[in-house]
Amino acid sequence: MQYYAAPMEGLTDRVWRQVHQRWFGGADRYYAPFLSPPENRVPVKKKMAELAPEANPGAPVIPQLLGKDGSCAAWMIGVLRQIGYSEVNLNFGCPSGTVTAKGKGAGMLRDLDGLDRFLYAVFDEAGGPISVKTRIGVERPEEFGPILEVYNRYPLAELIIHPRVMRQLYRGEADRDAFAAALPACRAPVCYNGDITSPAGFAALGSRWPGLSGLMAGRGLIADPALLRRARGGAPASKEELRGYFAELYAGYAAAFGSPQAAISRMKAYWHEAISLFEGADRLAKQLKKLRDPWEYEVTVGQIFALPLHK
């Protein structure tokens, strides 16, 4: 069974992917945050630079597409294959209101005829290997039966199931009973995604469903960058590793964005998840939210690293 790093917009870009591999690793695959195929079919240089193979050495990266025009998505898959990517992932899972209002992401699940037409165009014009990441419905888990019937018509390389419905966003618990009920009817290899935050969680899911192709971690991996390593029996993150990891992320984003000030907001997003690794960091978490200047950031990070790690 393989372990995957989930695609998370604004968090799992090429800077993070490279830094994470150098310091912690453990991922068999890194799924890149979604790319929207341009309607004019002219690749966006900045977006393509994010996926340039030379900027993504190491563990395989799987690009993800978000769109509702199957022919345009097929064209984009062709572009990605020209630069060296074989498998491409299709996003039917993003629950963001700005995405679903346009009929994209999990919004595609509202119209199963449209979903079928989209997949038909993609497989007809681009062919496989193509995988899908999906929610189990819009309002109710019971919607997944008809959704799965659509997916089963196509030779998906993998079906990554996040067992929440669109309206939940990321609230509440992932519905593992709904996942279990649907699993026997899935024709494609299946990966589970949702609420995996500990090595024990990986072990329990692997024991419950040993036939899965993979397990995918998202926020749990940002909160504990050593999570996948620990799931494989490796050591927890040391303070020295975390110090190097965060310093390299900060330097990487300062270079990518053109200034340390521009990097701070991105670093706040990582610290928001990972600060719980440190004992007694609540006060500093509030301080971190308010700071703006590089000197403030550096002082606060120094104070965080003066705290002990949770055991």
Side-chain angles (χ1 to χ4, degrees):
M1 186 179 298
Q2 295 193 314
Y3 294 164
Y4 304 152
M8 300 180 68
E9 189 177 11
L11 287 172
T12 61
D13 58 16
R14 62 185 173 88
V15 173
W16 177 82
R17 292 193 295 267
Q18 289 305 299
V19 173
H20 183 263
Q21 286 186 83
R22 280 193 287 273
W23 285 98
F24 299 104
D28 294 295
R29 290 179 164 193
Y30 289 87
Y31 283 73
F34 66 73
L35 171 70
S36 294
E39 293 181 5
N40 63 4
R41 303 198 180 193
V42 176
V44 178
K45 290 183 179 180
K46 184 177 179 180
K47 298 289 187 181
M48 297 308 294
E50 176 71 19
L51 290 169
E54 61 272 18
N56 290 278
V61 173
I62 309 298
Q64 185 182 76
L65 297 186
L66 178 94
K68 62 178 181 179
D69 182 327
S71 183
C72 191
W75 164 80
M76 191 73 235
I77 290 169
V79 171
L80 291 167
R81 287 181 175 155
Q82 286 176 6
I83 64 172
Y85 291 100
S86 55
E87 182 179 330
V88 176
N89 183 258
L90 302 176
N91 182 323
F92 304 130
C94 179
S96 167
T98 56
V99 168
T100 59
K102 299 174 184 176
K104 299 179 181 180
M108 290 283 284
L109 305 180
R110 293 191 186 108
D111 177 8
L112 298 191
D113 288 338
L115 177 67
D116 194 15
R117 289 193 298 272
F118 179 93
L119 288 169
Y120 182 89
V122 166
F123 279 92
D124 183 56
E125 298 177 33
I130 293 164
S131 58
V132 159
K133 189 170 187 293
T134 187
R135 293 269 171 147
I136 58 172
V138 175
E139 297 287 339
R140 303 180 314 281
E142 292 78 14
E143 297 169 24
F144 194 56
I147 293 168
L148 184 58
E149 288 180 13
V150 176
Y151 294 148
N152 280 341
R153 293 170 194 158
Y154 300 93
L156 303 182
E158 191 168 40
L159 180 61
I160 302 168
I161 301 174
H162 182 119
R164 282 185 173 90
V165 296
M166 184 188 81
R167 66 173 177 79
Q168 280 183 270
L169 299 176
Y170 294 96
R171 297 187 295 264
E173 294 183 355
D175 191 338
R176 293 180 179 176
D177 289 339
F179 177 88
L183 192 57
C186 296
R187 294 182 181 173
V190 176
C191 169
Y192 175 88
N193 168 231
D195 297 351
I196 311 179
T197 59
S198 68
F202 274 93
L205 290 166
S207 177
R208 183 175 180 182
W209 297 303
L212 294 179
S213 56
L215 295 170
M216 176 180 279
R219 294 200 178 276
L221 182 56
I222 302 300
D224 176 6
L227 176 60
L228 299 181
R229 184 176 75 186
R230 293 175 63 208
R232 297 184 185 281
S238 68
K239 191 177 289 189
E240 291 72 23
E241 286 178 316
L242 290 167
R243 194 188 304 274
Y245 167 77
F246 277 103
E248 195 169 331
L249 280 178
Y250 184 42
Y253 286 118
F257 298 158
S259 74
Q261 288 89 342
I264 287 174
S265 62
R266 180 63 58 89
M267 295 307 301
K268 287 181 180 182
Y270 290 110
W271 275 114
H272 175 73
E273 302 294 339
I275 200 165
S276 60
L277 291 170
F278 295 83
E279 290 186 16
D282 292 349
R283 176 182 60 82
L284 294 174
K286 295 176 182 178
Q287 183 174 312
L288 196 65
K289 288 180 182 179
K290 298 176 182 178
L291 61 82
R292 295 176 180 271
D293 296 324
W295 71 265
E296 293 177 292
Y297 174 79
E298 291 160 13
V299 167
T300 302
V301 168
Q303 292 173 323
I304 293 170
F305 277 105
L307 299 172
L309 291 172
H310 281 290
K311 295 181 180 179

